[in-house]
Every structure is written in structure tokens, then in C-alpha cells.
Amino acid sequence: MTKPVPCPPAPGPLEEYAARFDDLFTRVAQRRGFREYLAGLLAPRDRNKTLTALAGAEPVAGAQHPAVQRLQFFLSESRWDAEQVNSRRLELLLADPATAPHGGGVLVIDDSGDRKDGTKTAHVGHQWLGRYGKTDNGVVTVTTVWADERLYYPVDAVPYTPARHFAKGKSDPGFRTKLAIGAELAVRARAAGFTFRAVAADSAYGDQDGFRCELSEAGLPFVMALKPRRGTWAYGPDAHTPVDAARALEWDGPEDPGDWVPVTRTFRDGHAETWWAADATLGWWGPDGFTRLVVATADPGTLPDKATWYLATNLPRPGGPREADSPHPAADLAEVVRIYGIRHWIEQGYKQVKDELGWAGFQVRSDVAIRRHQALVNCAFSFCWATWFAEHPPQHDDAAPQPWPGREKRGAARRRAALAPGAARSPRLAFPLDRAAALVAGMVQGAPAAAAASPDQLGRGRLRPGPLHPELTNYR
């Protein structure tokens, strides 16, 4: 086998990471493009990370610069497989004890939309864009993220193609709904070796009976949100919606909670809140049914909209009649709440890939180029974790992380953490170790879930990441 021709090395630790992908690229120009693209994504910029920004060229006027044209060809025309690159990235995550998935983690399914003008771009259409809270012209991508209480990273991303792109619309054999894509990605993650306690998703997926059934038939456990007013058939006086079922539970205050059980939620800033959770009955859903309805709230008396979760899960109740025959370990109310709390990592992840790494900054139109851009952004994201753990190996530590010091003004802290000296105007990555550490610090802070994974789901000897040092966070 011919030894690959060497290419100019990437700056700092990025070279060691990029070299692990070299065998996937047949030409030196491809290997160089891979390094330059990642370096551009990781370097701080004052504008959207279009190809001119990644190459450090002037916007519009610099479009014909040779560095920009090289990246354009690498992304759109060069022959390499984005699926192979993503598979290699996942292999590296699986092989590293610091990032290897375990049974206490959660696989989160969601979709993210970004505005795109025109009609010629692949996957573009007039559709709901959750980030903007409205229907608009854009591209929607279905994503899966693996997460526990200490870290999170993207697993797969597949753009959703609206029906108008197919000759027969929704009847076309090639058309797939976002729900079908999400279920396929969950099955794919398990086949790739990603273990998890359950699949978690918001009400856009949880409200769909067919989606939950598809996961169950695939042997996957789930904890998914429901809309409070999601209706179901019931006899006249019985509960017809999840909120009706919650109001039917007995509650006479914290001293006499009735059907409710206290659960503690610990947040990243160190403060803890006592919530209340209960198994409710709605139609054929109940504590011992195939699907449980779990309600978690900060106040069972008022069920505040922004602090109440209505969750559907196929995890059996401990001590219930389904526990012995269920393929999934039983989960008490605290465990169900913990699982869904981890789902919010994906919202934090969107901030990183969109605001820092340029997920939506692409200015290409083809399906191939869009998928490649997304795969490269995910590589940059994973490189941040690889760099962090290279300097801070995981520790045997079952203790909760210490609360961070007080928060200062966000603007000043963000600028100090995000900018690497000398990197603002250079297409090269200046001090990539510092840059990656700063990005990881931004990823980790503000996690909404508890501080440690469920102990019964983790082996005693499992390596746990140590807490991030305050000097690398925005809380300095």
C-alpha cells in the first residue's frame, strides 16, 4: 500500500486529531482541505462562518481567493465520503474511555431548522423552524445526540427533505418524515455501539403514537414529552388530557403529598430544586400499562406551564407486574425525571454548533456539500472534547462537581473565553488547545440535569470526567 503523501500539518493538537482521518482521503489536497476546514470552524470570527470566513478572506470580494476556492472544491466537488468521516469520528468517541457511551446516558432525538433563501438549495422548503418559532423558508436537520450529566456530543445528522422535492410528493417511495428519520437514527446509534438508558425527545416526537410504537418494536426504551392538552379518548368523567390526569392526582401540600413523590433536581450552578413526580392514569396509560404517564412539576397544586413535564415512557415501574418480563430495567420516578432532564443538553449543543462552529453558515446548495459541512462541524465539536480530555484525563470520582463561582457580566466573559490571541484575522487556528478548552467550557456550563449518572447504571470502575476548572469557564 502506498504511503500517503504528507500535507502541511494543522496547528497544534488539531494535527493529531486530523491525522486519524487521513486514510479516508485519497489525495493530499483532501487531507489539507480537511485540516483547513476544521481550523476555520474552530477559529473565532466576527461574522458567519461562510467559506470566505473559514479561509480568512474578505466577504464577497474574496470569493475568488485561491484558499476559498480550495475549500469550495473540497466541500462540493472532491471525492470523499461524509458517512465514512462521521463513522471514524464515532469510532474515536467509542474508543476513548472519557467519551465512551454507557448505560446511564441518554440518546436525544430532535430536529433543528435554519433559514435559507431561495428554492434551489437541497432540502429547502417552507416549513416550521423551531429555532425561530415560526414557519419560514429553510433547511431542517434531524439529529441524535448522546449525553449524560457531564458531556454530550452529536451522533448523526440527516437533513429532512420536504415533499415538494419528490415527483410524487408524500407518496413518493423516497420521501421520509422527520419521525421516520429519527427512529432510523436511534436504531443506527444502537447498532454502532452506543448504549443508553433511554431515547428522549420533546413533544413534537412524543405526541406521535406511531413514532413511539416504532421505537418499542425496535426494542428501544423511551422517555418523551407530551403536550399538556394532547387529547385521548376516554369515558365522560375520566381524564381526556395529560393535564386532566395530573389534576386528578391527590395533593394536599408538601406535608401530605398524596400521590406525589419528591424528586431532587441538581443544576450546574450548584443549586437544587425539589420537584414532585407521580404516575398518572390516562385512558389505557397507567403505572402498570405498557406506556406510563409520568408527571413531574415544581408545584402539583398549580401545575405551572414552564415547570411541568408530562412524560410518556415504556420503562416499567419498579415492583410492578411488567418489571419481570420487560426487556428494559425498571425506572422509578426520579430516574424518569433524570432521563428527561438530560434531554436539554441538545438545546445547549445547538448553541455551540450554530453560534460558535458555524452549523448554519454554509453557502452551498447541493445535498452532498450540506451533509459534508455538517459532518465537519461535528468533527470540530468532537475535537474540542478530545483536546479537553487530553489535558484533563477522567478521574475515578463519584462525587458531584463543585458549584461554579458567581457569574459575571456575560458579554465580557464570553469575549475573553472565545477569542484566541492572534486568531481573529488569520485563517490559521491560533492556540487551538486554548480555543478548544474554551469551547468545551461553554458546552459544559449550564447543564440542566443532575450532576452524576444513575449509579446503578454505571460500573464501579467506570472512569468519570473530572469537573472543569473554573479558569476555563465563563465564570472567571
Side-chain angles (χ1 to χ4, degrees):
M1 182 175 180
T2 304
K3 185 178 180 180
V5 178
C7 68
L14 182 59
E15 172 59 28
E16 180 181 356
Y17 183 79
R20 298 174 181 177
F21 296 81
D22 276 351
D23 61 306
L24 303 180
F25 301 105
T26 59
R27 297 179 179 276
V28 64
Q30 296 172 352
R31 295 191 286 275
R32 182 175 63 183
F34 181 68
R35 287 161 169 78
E36 291 179 348
Y37 208 98
L38 293 187
L41 292 172
L42 288 161
R45 300 292 184 190
D46 295 329
R47 54 191 170 95
N48 290 340
K49 294 188 176 180
T50 59
L51 288 173
T52 53
L54 296 184
E58 292 293 329
V60 184
Q64 301 304 316
H65 190 281
V68 178
Q69 290 297 301
R70 284 201 306 267
L71 289 183
Q72 173 70 52
F73 185 86
F74 169 73
L75 192 64
S76 300
E77 305 296 335
S78 183
R79 294 184 178 180
W80 57 276
D81 192 332
E83 286 291 331
Q84 290 182 357
V85 170
N86 192 61
S87 295
R88 177 62 53 82
R89 178 182 67 88
L90 298 182
E91 289 172 6
L92 297 175
L93 291 168
L94 286 163
D96 188 342
T99 55
H102 57 80
V106 173
L107 187 74
V108 184
I109 300 176
D110 201 6
D111 56 71
S112 175
D114 302 291
R115 284 203 72 255
K116 291 295 175 183
D117 294 329
T119 61
K120 302 301 182 182
T121 302
H123 313 294
V124 75
H126 198 67
Q127 53 194 321
W128 175 258
L129 305 181
R131 187 185 189 192
Y132 303 95
K134 64 178 182 178
T135 299
D136 206 338
N137 210 56
V139 174
V140 173
T141 302
V142 182
T143 62
T144 48
V145 165
W146 188 93
D148 62 11
E149 288 84 353
R150 300 306 306 275
L151 82 160
Y152 62 101
Y153 48 77
V155 179
D156 283 302
V158 173
Y160 161 73
T161 307
R164 75 168 188 84
H165 289 266
F166 296 92
K168 297 182 179 180
K170 294 183 178 181
S171 301
D172 196 283
F175 174 75
R176 291 187 301 163
T177 65
K178 286 177 279 189
L179 301 173
I181 296 173
E184 178 185 322
L185 293 184
V187 173
R188 183 192 301 182
R190 181 183 60 179
F194 284 84
T195 57
F196 41 85
R197 186 66 168 98
V199 175
D202 62 16
S203 59
Y205 292 81
D207 275 343
Q208 307 301 319
D209 295 336
F211 179 70
R212 296 193 314 274
C213 288
E214 193 167 352
L215 292 183
S216 294
E217 291 173 358
L220 296 174
F222 60 78
V223 175
M224 299 188 180
L226 303 168
K227 293 179 181 177
R229 302 293 177 181
R230 179 190 184 278
T232 188
W233 182 90
Y235 290 104
D238 294 337
H240 288 73
T241 65
V243 69
D244 292 339
R247 288 171 178 165
L249 297 169
E250 183 179 348
W251 168 261
D252 292 315
E255 302 301 324
D256 184 13
D259 296 321
W260 298 84
V261 175
V263 294
T264 300
R265 297 190 62 214
T266 304
F267 294 79
R268 180 59 56 186
D269 61 5
H271 88 280
E273 295 181 5
T274 297
W275 277 35
W276 300 85
D279 275 295
T281 300
L282 177 63
W284 55 88
W285 293 357
D288 298 324
F290 180 79
T291 301
R292 293 166 61 192
L293 172 61
V294 173
V295 183
T297 181
D299 184 359
T302 61
L303 300 175
D305 291 341
K306 295 184 178 180
T308 302
W309 299 340
Y310 304 92
L311 307 174
T313 180
N314 61 349
L315 296 172
R317 176 178 64 87
R322 289 187 54 242
E323 182 177 11
D325 298 329
S326 174
H328 315 301
D332 60 16
L333 294 171
E335 174 71 353
V336 174
V337 173
R338 181 192 78 88
I339 291 170
Y340 191 72
I342 295 176
R343 191 208 76 84
H344 294 82
W345 268 123
I346 200 167
E347 305 297 341
Q348 184 77 359
Y350 285 151
K351 295 177 183 178
Q352 296 297 325
V353 299
K354 292 177 183 293
D355 299 337
E356 298 287 353
L357 298 179
W359 176 271
F362 64 86
Q363 289 185 333
V364 290
R365 291 184 173 182
S366 71
D367 168 69
V368 169
I370 292 173
R371 291 175 187 262
R372 287 177 172 181
H373 171 78
Q374 293 174 344
L376 293 168
V377 169
N378 287 343
C379 283
F381 192 102
S382 297
F383 163 73
C384 291
W385 285 118
T387 306
W388 168 256
F389 286 123
E391 281 291 302
H392 304 80
Q395 305 168 359
H396 291 280
D397 181 14
D398 290 335
Q402 298 299 314
W404 303 118
R407 185 192 301 258
E408 66 176 339
K409 290 185 178 181
R410 174 173 293 183
R414 181 182 180 87
R415 286 191 295 272
R416 190 161 59 249
L419 291 178
R425 298 182 184 276
S426 171
R428 287 294 185 181
L429 178 63
F431 304 104
L433 180 60
D434 296 338
R435 171 62 177 160
L439 283 176
V440 174
M443 296 175 189
V444 173
Q445 68 183 19
S454 176
D456 61 341
Q457 298 301 318
L458 296 173
R460 289 185 178 274
R462 171 174 165 74
L463 295 174
R464 292 175 183 266
L468 295 178
H469 196 283
E471 291 181 359
L472 292 174
T473 72
N474 287 347
Y475 292 104
R476 290 182 287 180

